[in-house]
Amino acid sequence: MILSMVRLLVVGVAGALLAGCGTTGPNRVMKFNGSDEYVRVKDAKALRLADGDFTLTAWIYINKFSNESNSPVMAKRGAESREGWTWYVAGDAWPTLARKLIFHVSQGDNPFAVSNTTFDAGKWYHIAMVYSAAAQAGQFFINGQADSPTPTIGLTPPNPATAVDLHIGRDSFYARYFFDGMVDDVGVFNKALTPVEVRSLATRSLQGREPG
């Protein structure tokens, strides 16, 4: 099944395929069972997030939180986990981070950003990660609103040589970590969206004609 049917919008990337992922609803939401379903997108330079500003966006609905490390929304990391990046909701095994959104750069000192928001199962959330390369800083937006008044600094860019494919709904390195729930309107932008642009995405569907 071609991934365009579930409206994955990624800059400059073709050939994305579903890997056993089911779909549901009139808009073809991606539905993951938490055990073996995920989406795999062929590696492309734009997805390595190493060349400048970027924004990640998605709608997520978690049925059940992981009892281990995380519920991966998107992951693109490889060997020894210190190569690339991953975006996930932390599982219940992490007492101080449980059920919070995390963007993690898997290299060097493994810098990461953590949301203030704690997520609940059985609810839809629009999530966004806006990154400034010049400031090496990222800021989360939840349901169109800034999660914190200031960005998290010290987020070095991911490794530009990370050639592993992008995974949605499964960790690309730790293959036992899966997302249990639904994901829709996944977006990867090659710019730092403004707060106004993020709020706009939280109130409508991606059309594929957005700048960046």
Side-chain angles (χ1 to χ4, degrees):
M1 184 180 298
I2 303 301
L3 190 58
S4 61
M5 292 185 67
V6 290
R7 296 184 297 143
L8 170 68
L9 302 178
V10 180
V11 178
V13 176
L17 298 175
L18 294 173
C21 172
T23 61
T24 184
N27 291 321
R28 297 291 185 178
V29 173
M30 289 178 281
K31 185 177 182 180
F32 301 101
N33 64 8
S35 61
D36 61 3
E37 296 177 344
Y38 65 99
V39 174
R40 186 168 179 170
V41 183
K42 184 175 175 59
D43 171 53
K45 186 178 180 181
L47 299 178
R48 299 180 185 183
L49 306 184
D51 292 335
D53 298 348
F54 64 82
T55 301
L56 305 176
T57 64
W59 281 96
I60 64 170
Y61 181 103
I62 297 176
N63 290 327
K64 181 181 178 182
F65 290 95
S66 169
N67 291 323
E68 292 191 84
S69 178
N70 64 70
S71 296
V73 181
M74 288 190 271
K76 195 180 189 305
R77 60 177 177 172
E80 299 180 1
S81 80
R82 292 181 178 270
E83 178 186 329
W85 58 272
T86 182
W87 197 30
Y88 59 91
V89 178
D92 289 335
W94 300 87
T96 61
L97 303 176
R99 306 190 179 192
K100 293 183 180 291
L101 184 65
I102 296 177
F103 179 80
H104 178 191
V105 179
S106 294
Q107 66 179 33
D109 294 330
N110 284 325
F112 60 92
V114 182
S115 71
N116 290 319
T117 300
T118 299
F119 288 70
D120 294 322
K123 291 184 178 180
W124 278 104
Y125 294 89
H126 185 267
I127 58 174
M129 170 65 178
V130 179
Y131 180 79
S132 166
Q136 292 194 348
Q139 187 169 24
F140 291 126
F141 288 77
I142 311 297
N143 294 332
Q145 302 299 316
D147 177 68
S148 63
T150 57
T152 299
I153 61 174
L155 291 175
T156 53
N159 186 343
T162 303
V164 66
D165 291 344
L166 171 68
H167 289 59
I168 301 170
R170 197 200 85 175
D171 194 311
S172 54
F173 178 67
Y174 291 106
R176 67 183 183 276
Y177 299 156
F178 286 88
F179 189 94
D180 186 345
M182 294 177 283
V183 178
D184 195 17
D185 274 5
V186 174
V188 180
F189 296 82
N190 60 5
K191 59 177 285 189
L193 297 184
T194 67
V196 171
E197 289 173 320
V198 173
R199 283 196 296 272
S200 176
L201 292 180
T203 60
R204 62 178 177 83
S205 297
L206 287 172
Q207 301 300 312
R209 299 185 295 273
E210 290 82 3

